[in-house]
Amino acid sequence: MKIQTKHFGEIVICDETIITFPQGLPGFEEFHNFAIIKNTDPENSFHWLQCIEDADVSFVVTNPFEVVQNYDFEIPDNLLDMLKIQNPEDVLVLSIVVIPEKIEKLSINLKAPVIINVYSRLGKQLVLDDPKYSTKYYIYDGIENK
Amino acid sequence: MLTRKREESIIINGDVEVQVLDITDGKVKLGIKAPKSIEILRKEVYEEIKEENKNAVRTKLNMETLKNMIKK
């Protein structure tokens, strides 16, 4: 199907790649259908989670495990059920990225990872209880501190 | 609005029960019984995630700039 995107204009995606978020996302509860637009540059690990119902609803996302050390959490049973997760290999975890005017202050939300079952094409943003993960993890600070 | 005393409950939609377990020092301890499919969060936590998601869609991203930044 053809979809409108915020940054790439009109693009064509396969219907089977559409991910359904039955509860939308916090702040975007009425939006249920998304597509992941992958960055074609292999050196760039930032991708887009683009809403199909509204071109303006588009999130930059990235794999947090590539960016953060020791990021670890458990997916609760009720979410495993909701997303019909049966194999760990079917789970895709993405963190939503906030890119402010000052790009050095780029942050990713570790407190609320987006969990997607690539097999069932279902997704939900999981809010973690763990106080050690913040909604704003500054990836460039992390690199400087090493 | 409902007023409840210690140990009193309310039932929402026939399957969610919220009970006042204790009231001490201006803090109310609530016990919640709900089906596992229902997510329960403190409001301020939900609001924080909502706010962060809203900030995220406001990103004025230029992929070129981001690419150059990452390569540094």
Side-chain angles (χ1 to χ4, degrees):
Chain A
M1 68 183 282
K2 283 189 194 155
I3 67 166
Q4 295 301 324
T5 68
K6 188 173 178 184
H7 298 276
F8 308 99
E10 189 179 270
I11 65 170
V12 178
I13 59 164
C14 297
D15 290 12
E16 309 85 72
T17 59
I18 294 170
I19 301 160
T20 304
F21 282 71
Q23 293 163 343
L25 284 113
F28 299 89
E29 292 84 354
E30 65 271 40
F31 299 104
H32 304 291
N33 296 302
F34 288 80
I36 294 175
I37 301 175
K38 280 208 166 137
N39 202 313
T40 49
D41 180 349
E43 281 178 45
N44 190 329
S45 51
F46 291 88
H47 311 288
W48 298 94
L49 183 65
Q50 171 72 55
C51 178
I52 290 167
E53 292 115 324
D54 185 337
D56 286 334
V57 179
S58 185
F59 300 95
V60 176
V61 290
T62 193
N63 177 347
F65 303 109
E66 285 176 16
V67 177
V68 185
Q69 311 272 25
N70 304 320
Y71 184 45
D72 187 34
F73 59 88
E74 210 177 289
I75 298 176
D77 288 345
N78 63 345
L79 187 56
L80 293 176
D81 288 344
M82 195 187 295
L83 302 184
K84 305 191 175 123
I85 294 170
Q86 295 186 321
N87 296 307
E89 310 86 69
D90 295 338
V91 179
L92 173 63
V93 177
L94 293 170
S95 296
I96 290 179
V97 182
V98 175
I99 304 173
E101 293 285 336
K102 283 198 168 172
I103 208 164
E104 312 83 64
K105 285 290 166 197
L106 187 156
S107 63
I108 69 174
N109 187 342
L110 294 184
K111 194 172 183 63
V114 174
I115 313 294
I116 292 169
N117 179 343
V118 298
Y119 184 70
S120 66
R121 316 304 304 174
L122 292 170
K124 181 166 162 57
Q125 188 168 21
L126 169 64
V127 181
L128 301 176
D129 230 339
D130 194 330
K132 78 175 178 254
Y133 299 128
S134 148
T135 52
K136 294 190 208 302
Y137 175 86
Y138 296 100
I139 66 173
Y140 292 113
D141 284 357
I143 291 166
E144 280 151 28
N145 289 338
K146 274 184 188 163
Chain B
M1 270 195 306
L2 298 165
T3 303
R4 305 275 67 198
K5 291 189 260 203
R6 198 180 269 112
E7 283 172 39
E8 289 182 336
S9 292
I10 58 173
I11 296 193
I12 298 167
N13 206 41
D15 53 8
V16 177
E17 182 180 345
V18 181
Q19 186 184 28
V20 178
L21 296 175
D22 191 44
I23 309 171
T24 314
D25 284 344
K27 283 191 251 197
V28 179
K29 193 170 181 178
L30 299 171
I32 305 167
K33 275 189 208 161
K36 281 198 167 173
S37 54
I38 293 186
E39 185 184 30
I40 298 166
L41 292 172
R42 290 171 178 76
K43 184 177 181 181
E44 62 275 18
V45 173
Y46 191 79
E47 292 295 318
E48 197 188 338
I49 306 305
K50 209 166 139 172
E51 190 59 34
E52 206 57 22
N53 285 347
K54 292 195 164 170
N55 288 336
V57 300
R58 284 187 215 123
T59 281
K60 286 178 196 145
L61 176 65
N62 181 316
M63 268 294 177
E64 279 306 306
T65 315
L66 185 60
K67 198 193 326 190
N68 295 334
M69 190 68 203
I70 294 161
K71 284 184 175 164
K72 270 188 194 165

